[in-house]
């Protein structure tokens, strides 16, 4: 019985978050109404406060949820790759594709830095995407596949480039062109013997 209750609580939490994500995209943070979300998700406001302390904490959970989904999509793509180089390529390509989702564009790349502050936003982005990128780069450096002065600096540079390319594509430019450009940036990391 306890397991069913836990599963039901998780389903309720997911329903609340999915509704809140949609509201954030449509209305922005300022238009985020816990009462409206409760009504649409068919829960009480008490149920929302059971899962989330206040509006700011609620928004933070929305951001963490979307970043978590992105991290999971990247990991899934990378795990299918036959080697670390292909894992890097597939992970980066997946980021560009998945980041075109309207919720990711609006909330993660649009609202979150202003609402949470750049320091917290950078930390969250680091935890969910940049740290795994850094790990792959360190592995590739150890294998002698790439030659870089510092894996963390390279991860930060690539992360920034991908976020900007993501915005560029969302503004109506070609995803294919963005990927080809990113591919050239990645290939520039190759050690001369692998280039």
């Amino acid at each position: 019985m306890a397991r069913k209750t836990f599963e039901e609580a998780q389903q309720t939490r997911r329903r609340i978050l999915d509704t809140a994500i949609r509201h954030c995209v449509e209305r922005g943070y300022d238009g985020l109404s816990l009462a409206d979300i409760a009504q649409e998700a068919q829960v009480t406001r008490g149920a929302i406060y059971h899962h989330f302390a206040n509006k700011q904490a609620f928004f933070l959970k929305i951001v963490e949820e979307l970043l978590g989904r992105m991290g999971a999509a990247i990991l899934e793509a990378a795990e299918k790759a036959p080697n670390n180089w292909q894992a890097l390529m597939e992970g980066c390509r997946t980021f560009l594709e998945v980041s075109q989702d309207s919720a990711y564009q609006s909330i993660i790349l649009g609202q979150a830095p202003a609402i949470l502050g750049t320091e917290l936003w950078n930390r969250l982005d680091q935890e969910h995407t940049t740290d795994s990128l850094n790990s792959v780069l360190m592995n590739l450096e150890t294998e002698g596949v790439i030659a870089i002065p510092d894996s963390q600096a390279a991860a930060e540079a690539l992360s920034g480039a991908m976020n900007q390319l993501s915005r560029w594509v969302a503004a109506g430019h070609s995803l294919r062109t963005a990927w080809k450009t990113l591919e050239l940036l990645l290939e520039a990391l190759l050690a001369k013997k692998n280039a």
Side-chain angles (χ1 to χ4, degrees):
M1 185 70 165
R3 181 181 172 129
K4 185 175 181 185
T5 303
F6 175 77
E7 288 173 1
E8 287 173 349
Q10 292 301 100
Q11 288 173 353
T12 299
R13 185 180 187 280
R14 168 72 64 179
R15 193 168 63 248
I16 292 168
L17 275 174
D18 286 345
T19 303
I21 288 167
R22 192 171 60 258
H23 280 231
C24 261
V25 171
E26 293 169 0
R27 305 174 186 183
Y29 177 78
D30 289 339
L32 197 61
S33 162
L34 300 185
D36 289 351
I37 291 166
Q39 182 178 7
E40 190 175 324
Q42 300 177 340
V43 298
T44 65
R45 275 196 285 182
I48 290 180
Y49 286 112
H50 172 74
H51 292 281
F52 313 101
N54 55 43
K55 186 175 172 178
Q56 177 100 9
F58 196 26
F59 184 76
L60 177 59
K61 289 299 178 194
I62 290 168
V63 169
E64 289 176 331
E65 175 70 17
L66 289 172
L67 286 171
R69 290 178 189 179
M70 174 61 81
I74 291 169
L75 186 60
E76 182 181 347
E79 285 178 342
K80 294 177 185 173
N83 56 54
N84 283 325
W85 176 253
Q86 287 302 316
L88 174 64
M89 299 292 274
E90 290 307 314
C92 290
R93 184 195 318 259
T94 297
F95 173 84
L96 278 182
E97 292 169 354
V98 174
S99 70
Q100 293 312 299
D101 177 73
S102 61
Y104 197 88
Q105 287 293 319
S106 173
I107 297 169
I108 302 302
L109 297 179
Q111 300 174 54
I115 293 163
L116 300 177
T118 53
E119 185 177 331
L120 177 55
W121 184 87
N122 284 334
R123 183 174 59 76
L124 293 168
D125 188 47
Q126 182 93 30
E127 289 172 8
H128 290 279
T129 59
T130 312
D131 281 349
S132 59
L133 179 57
N134 184 36
S135 293
V136 173
L137 291 171
M138 284 192 298
N139 289 337
L140 287 167
E141 189 176 22
T142 300
E143 293 168 6
V145 175
I146 62 173
I148 52 178
D150 182 86
S151 63
Q152 187 65 50
E156 294 290 339
L158 287 172
S159 179
M162 287 190 287
N163 283 335
Q164 285 304 112
L165 282 171
S166 174
R167 290 182 181 102
W168 186 76
V169 173
H173 300 283
S174 164
L175 177 61
R176 185 176 185 280
T177 301
W179 168 243
K180 284 296 182 189
T181 303
L182 183 57
E183 196 173 28
L184 288 172
L185 291 174
L186 292 168
E187 288 170 356
L189 303 178
L190 287 168
K192 296 219 184 305
K193 63 177 183 174
N194 296 306

